[in-house]
Amino acid sequence: MTDVRFRTTRWTLVSGATSVDDGERSRALEELCAAYWPPLYAYLRRRGRAPDEASDLVQGLFHVLLERDGLARIEARTGRFRSWLLTALRNHERDVRDHAHAQRRGSGVPAVPIDAVPIDAAAGERAYQVAAASDADPVVVFERAWVRGVLDQARSALLEESIAKGNGDLFRCLEPTLDAAPDREERAALAERLGLSPVALRVAIHRMRERYRALILAVVRETLSTNEDPASELDALLSAVSEESHGSR
């Protein structure tokens, strides 16, 4: 079973973002920005850009892609969408640098209306602060911020599923086990709180963790070309997050 929202791939959203239908274009653009605005912003912040500069550059990138139909020219076989988008950002940053006057706010890069390109500077700054907690290359910061977004999206979907099935309280109790297996004392406390036997608790934790992984894979799969393995991609991404956690201790 896969969450219905994940049947809409990033490639479909790319097409939707250039649709002539205002509603479809707005929805697609909102989803794309929610997924990629924070990591792109975090990448620029790690490169030394000030918050306003980073915000303007990411906003300007989406403006250029939409204005020149840049999104309409890419296809699923392009590969990882986030890699394509990061390259597009680098090119945009280079173009702005080559035209120094465009770096001055509002004097060369057209301002992008908020309702055209939804932005969340606070989310971008949070992504940067978390991903750059340890000394890391800007590309690594971008990857970490992106995978954090993937994990958050999958967790939100799992919460919605649990609530729909009447298991919202169970999810809230077991949510910490998605990140780390509970020790003996924690398992005993959870079993008592939920009124479950040790065996029933283990089964519940196992099922929730398995569903969480399936939802993460669904999110990752939608960003890849058809010939790429989402499981291998997920393992690499989770490894990056693990290195981040160890490096920030």
Side-chain angles (χ1 to χ4, degrees), residues 196-213:
L196 298 175
S197 69
V199 172
L201 178 65
R202 284 199 301 272
V203 170
I205 291 175
H206 174 74
R207 286 177 176 172
M208 184 168 289
R209 289 171 68 95
E210 285 295 299
R211 182 58 185 151
Y212 181 46
R213 180 178 174 84

Side-chain angles (χ1 to χ4, degrees), residues 116-130:
V117 179
I119 64 173
D120 189 342
E125 190 63 23
R126 286 195 300 272
Y128 163 67
Q129 295 294 341
V130 172

Side-chain angles (χ1 to χ4, degrees), residues 11 74-80 224-226 228:
W11 307 111
I74 66 173
E75 301 177 3
R77 63 173 177 268
T78 302
R80 293 175 177 82
L224 304 175
S225 60
T226 55
E228 293 181 275

Side-chain angles (χ1 to χ4, degrees), residues 3 5-6 152-162 215:
D3 190 283
R5 292 173 303 168
F6 299 157
D152 288 345
Q153 186 178 355
R155 191 169 299 217
S156 295
L158 184 56
L159 171 60
E160 291 179 14
E161 282 188 0
S162 299
L215 289 170

Side-chain angles (χ1 to χ4, degrees), residues 98-112:
D98 289 346
H99 300 82
H101 68 278
Q103 294 183 11
R104 293 195 298 274
R105 197 176 182 87
S107 63
V109 178
V112 185

Side-chain angles (χ1 to χ4, degrees), residues 66-168:
L66 291 171
E67 185 181 56
R68 301 176 184 174
D69 290 331
L71 289 172
R73 294 197 299 269
I74 66 173
E75 301 177 3
R77 63 173 177 268
T78 302
R80 293 175 177 82
F81 177 66
R82 71 178 186 282
S83 299
W84 182 91
L85 200 56
L86 183 57
T87 298
L89 177 64
R90 288 167 170 162
N91 291 339
H92 176 66
E93 186 181 20
R94 181 200 61 210
D95 291 344
V96 171
R97 184 179 62 245
D98 289 346
H99 300 82
H101 68 278
Q103 294 183 11
R104 293 195 298 274
R105 197 176 182 87
S107 63
V109 178
V112 185
I114 297 299
D115 58 351
V117 179
I119 64 173
D120 189 342
E125 190 63 23
R126 286 195 300 272
Y128 163 67
Q129 295 294 341
V130 172
S134 59
D135 189 20
D137 180 90
V139 175
V140 175
V141 168
F142 171 79
E143 293 284 353
R144 288 175 179 172
W146 183 81
V147 74
R148 286 290 178 185
V150 168
L151 297 179
D152 288 345
Q153 186 178 355
R155 191 169 299 217
S156 295
L158 184 56
L159 171 60
E160 291 179 14
E161 282 188 0
S162 299
I163 291 174
K165 295 176 181 178
N167 294 327

